[in-house]
PDB file of all heavy atoms in Angstrom:
ATOM      1  N   CYS X 378      -4.501   0.255 -10.726  1.00 97.00           N
ATOM      2  CA  CYS X 378      -5.660  -0.654 -10.612  1.00 97.00           C
ATOM      3  C   CYS X 378      -5.138  -2.051 -10.323  1.00 97.00           C
ATOM      4  O   CYS X 378      -4.302  -2.573 -11.052  1.00 97.00           O
ATOM      5  CB  CYS X 378      -6.468  -0.636 -11.910  1.00 97.00           C
ATOM      6  SG  CYS X 378      -7.815  -1.852 -11.945  1.00 97.00           S
ATOM      7  N   VAL X 379      -5.634  -2.648  -9.242  1.00 98.00           N
ATOM      8  CA  VAL X 379      -5.257  -3.993  -8.857  1.00 98.00           C
ATOM      9  C   VAL X 379      -6.239  -4.474  -7.794  1.00 98.00           C
ATOM     10  O   VAL X 379      -6.914  -3.662  -7.144  1.00 98.00           O
ATOM     11  CB  VAL X 379      -3.791  -4.034  -8.356  1.00 98.00           C
ATOM     12  CG1 VAL X 379      -3.683  -3.443  -6.954  1.00 98.00           C
ATOM     13  CG2 VAL X 379      -3.218  -5.435  -8.376  1.00 98.00           C
ATOM     14  N   ALA X 380      -6.338  -5.784  -7.575  1.00 98.00           N
ATOM     15  CA  ALA X 380      -7.243  -6.298  -6.535  1.00 98.00           C
ATOM     16  C   ALA X 380      -6.873  -5.738  -5.173  1.00 98.00           C
ATOM     17  O   ALA X 380      -5.693  -5.718  -4.788  1.00 98.00           O
ATOM     18  CB  ALA X 380      -7.154  -7.824  -6.506  1.00 98.00           C
ATOM     19  N   HIS X 381      -7.900  -5.313  -4.412  1.00 98.00           N
ATOM     20  CA  HIS X 381      -7.633  -4.759  -3.067  1.00 98.00           C
ATOM     21  C   HIS X 381      -8.737  -5.206  -2.119  1.00 98.00           C
ATOM     22  O   HIS X 381      -9.326  -6.249  -2.289  1.00 98.00           O
ATOM     23  CB  HIS X 381      -7.457  -3.251  -3.128  1.00 98.00           C
ATOM     24  CG  HIS X 381      -6.469  -2.724  -2.164  1.00 98.00           C
ATOM     25  ND1 HIS X 381      -6.770  -1.869  -1.136  1.00 98.00           N
ATOM     26  CD2 HIS X 381      -5.136  -2.994  -2.031  1.00 98.00           C
ATOM     27  CE1 HIS X 381      -5.676  -1.614  -0.416  1.00 98.00           C
ATOM     28  NE2 HIS X 381      -4.669  -2.261  -0.970  1.00 98.00           N
ATOM     29  N   ASN X 382      -9.029  -4.377  -1.077  1.00 98.00           N
ATOM     30  CA  ASN X 382      -9.828  -4.837   0.051  1.00 98.00           C
ATOM     31  C   ASN X 382     -11.313  -4.915  -0.273  1.00 98.00           C
ATOM     32  O   ASN X 382     -11.875  -3.998  -0.892  1.00 98.00           O
ATOM     33  CB  ASN X 382      -9.638  -3.874   1.240  1.00 98.00           C
ATOM     34  CG  ASN X 382      -8.250  -3.917   1.799  1.00 98.00           C
ATOM     35  OD1 ASN X 382      -7.467  -4.792   1.491  1.00 98.00           O
ATOM     36  ND2 ASN X 382      -7.928  -2.959   2.651  1.00 98.00           N
ATOM     37  N   GLY X 383     -11.962  -5.982   0.202  1.00 98.00           N
ATOM     38  CA  GLY X 383     -13.379  -6.135   0.016  1.00 98.00           C
ATOM     39  C   GLY X 383     -13.985  -6.978   1.116  1.00 98.00           C
ATOM     40  O   GLY X 383     -13.286  -7.468   2.038  1.00 98.00           O
ATOM     41  N   SER X 384     -15.316  -7.145   1.059  1.00 98.00           N
ATOM     42  CA  SER X 384     -16.016  -7.917   2.077  1.00 98.00           C
ATOM     43  C   SER X 384     -17.153  -8.702   1.439  1.00 98.00           C
ATOM     44  O   SER X 384     -17.599  -8.415   0.317  1.00 98.00           O
ATOM     45  CB  SER X 384     -16.598  -7.010   3.147  1.00 98.00           C
ATOM     46  OG  SER X 384     -17.754  -6.316   2.673  1.00 98.00           O
ATOM     47  N   LEU X 385     -17.682  -9.669   2.186  1.00 98.00           N
ATOM     48  CA  LEU X 385     -18.840 -10.406   1.716  1.00 98.00           C
ATOM     49  C   LEU X 385     -20.075  -9.527   1.755  1.00 98.00           C
ATOM     50  O   LEU X 385     -20.212  -8.647   2.614  1.00 98.00           O
ATOM     51  CB  LEU X 385     -19.091 -11.638   2.601  1.00 98.00           C
ATOM     52  CG  LEU X 385     -18.016 -12.716   2.630  1.00 98.00           C
ATOM     53  CD1 LEU X 385     -18.486 -13.854   3.524  1.00 98.00           C
ATOM     54  CD2 LEU X 385     -17.697 -13.245   1.243  1.00 98.00           C
ATOM     55  N   ILE X 386     -20.992  -9.773   0.830  1.00 98.00           N
ATOM     56  CA  ILE X 386     -22.353  -9.245   0.885  1.00 98.00           C
ATOM     57  C   ILE X 386     -23.207 -10.384   1.421  1.00 98.00           C
ATOM     58  O   ILE X 386     -23.251 -11.455   0.814  1.00 98.00           O
ATOM     59  CB  ILE X 386     -22.833  -8.746  -0.485  1.00 98.00           C
ATOM     60  CG1 ILE X 386     -21.988  -7.578  -0.938  1.00 98.00           C
ATOM     61  CG2 ILE X 386     -24.310  -8.364  -0.418  1.00 98.00           C
ATOM     62  CD1 ILE X 386     -22.409  -6.979  -2.273  1.00 98.00           C
ATOM     63  N   PRO X 387     -23.850 -10.208   2.582  1.00 98.00           N
ATOM     64  CA  PRO X 387     -24.444 -11.344   3.288  1.00 98.00           C
ATOM     65  C   PRO X 387     -25.738 -11.873   2.700  1.00 98.00           C
ATOM     66  O   PRO X 387     -26.845 -11.666   3.228  1.00 98.00           O
ATOM     67  CB  PRO X 387     -24.666 -10.797   4.710  1.00 98.00           C
ATOM     68  CG  PRO X 387     -24.860  -9.342   4.491  1.00 98.00           C
ATOM     69  CD  PRO X 387     -23.948  -8.952   3.363  1.00 98.00           C
ATOM     70  N   VAL X 388     -25.622 -12.590   1.584  1.00 98.00           N
ATOM     71  CA  VAL X 388     -26.755 -13.251   0.957  1.00 98.00           C
ATOM     72  C   VAL X 388     -26.684 -14.727   1.314  1.00 98.00           C
ATOM     73  O   VAL X 388     -25.729 -15.408   0.946  1.00 98.00           O
ATOM     74  CB  VAL X 388     -26.721 -13.084  -0.565  1.00 98.00           C
ATOM     75  CG1 VAL X 388     -27.912 -13.819  -1.212  1.00 98.00           C
ATOM     76  CG2 VAL X 388     -26.724 -11.612  -0.953  1.00 98.00           C
ATOM     77  N   LYS X 389     -27.661 -15.203   2.064  1.00 95.00           N
ATOM     78  CA  LYS X 389     -27.649 -16.598   2.542  1.00 95.00           C
ATOM     79  C   LYS X 389     -27.615 -17.576   1.381  1.00 95.00           C
ATOM     80  O   LYS X 389     -28.356 -17.445   0.419  1.00 95.00           O
ATOM     81  CB  LYS X 389     -28.862 -16.849   3.412  1.00 95.00           C
ATOM     82  CG  LYS X 389     -28.841 -18.215   4.109  1.00 95.00           C
ATOM     83  CD  LYS X 389     -30.035 -18.381   5.023  1.00 95.00           C
ATOM     84  CE  LYS X 389     -29.983 -19.717   5.744  1.00 95.00           C
ATOM     85  NZ  LYS X 389     -31.152 -19.900   6.639  1.00 95.00           N
ATOM     86  N   GLY X 390     -26.678 -18.542   1.475  1.00 95.00           N
ATOM     87  CA  GLY X 390     -26.581 -19.563   0.441  1.00 95.00           C
ATOM     88  C   GLY X 390     -25.767 -19.180  -0.762  1.00 95.00           C
ATOM     89  O   GLY X 390     -25.574 -19.988  -1.665  1.00 95.00           O
TER      90      GLY X 390
END
Side-chain angles (χ1 to χ4, degrees):
C378 174
V379 74
H381 215 243
N382 293 347
S384 75
L385 297 182
I386 296 182
V388 179
K389 187 176 181 179

